[in-house]
Amino acid sequence: MKRDMQLVREIFFQIEDLPHHNKGPFDKLPDESAEVLDYHLKILQEAGLVAWDQIDRGNDCNWYLGLRLTWIGHEFLDNARNEGVWSEVRRALNDNAVKSASFSIWASTLSDRLSQLLS
């Protein structure tokens, strides 16, 4: 399964809006399968961008208790929040010459572009 940075951004927005002590399946993105969402949550957790207190494995989907962004997850989302900056960086990193980029490149490129706009 491929990592989808657009989906990562959408997941972050949805997690940010969750109540503090949430418990339930993460199904805020109905156009995505539970399998795709669970995969992305797992790799985001492995990268230290999201965390949860407990996970209960269900038949059709996993239930997350206390699903939240970590400090680093919030930092990334703050840099990715502006639609114009996100679209510009996304176009640049999805360009035919680049094709794909690591998370650290995404994070630093977003941060650099935002810094340029602020100076």
Side-chain angles (χ1 to χ4, degrees):
M1 188 174 300
K2 291 186 179 183
R3 178 180 61 186
D4 180 339
M5 291 304 292
Q6 181 66 32
L7 179 57
V8 166
R9 182 176 182 251
E10 292 172 24
I11 289 170
F12 280 13
F13 279 125
Q14 294 300 319
I15 292 173
E16 182 183 50
D17 289 340
L18 292 173
H20 177 63
H21 290 292
N22 62 80
K23 181 177 181 177
F26 186 75
D27 57 0
K28 300 288 185 180
L29 301 165
D31 292 340
E32 295 296 333
S33 71
E35 179 184 21
V36 169
L37 290 173
D38 286 341
Y39 174 79
H40 278 78
L41 286 171
K42 181 178 180 179
I43 64 173
L44 290 169
Q45 187 268 337
E46 291 171 345
L49 299 165
V50 301
W52 52 80
D53 298 324
Q54 181 180 337
I55 185 170
D56 293 328
R57 309 246 181 242
N59 291 339
D60 296 332
C61 60
N62 293 326
W63 287 64
Y64 298 89
L65 173 63
L67 179 61
R68 64 194 176 278
L69 296 175
T70 63
W71 185 271
I72 297 167
H74 277 286
E75 292 285 307
F76 179 82
L77 181 57
D78 286 342
N79 289 337
R81 189 176 304 281
N82 179 287
E83 187 63 44
V85 170
W86 176 259
S87 294
E88 183 180 329
V89 168
R90 186 174 173 207
R91 275 191 306 276
L93 293 180
N94 287 330
D95 181 274
N96 287 334
V98 177
K99 301 236 183 193
S100 69
S102 69
F103 181 82
S104 60
I105 296 295
W106 275 90
S108 65
T109 304
L110 284 165
S111 179
D112 291 348
R113 183 62 186 120
L114 212 52
S115 293
Q116 290 171 356
L117 290 174
L118 295 173
S119 56

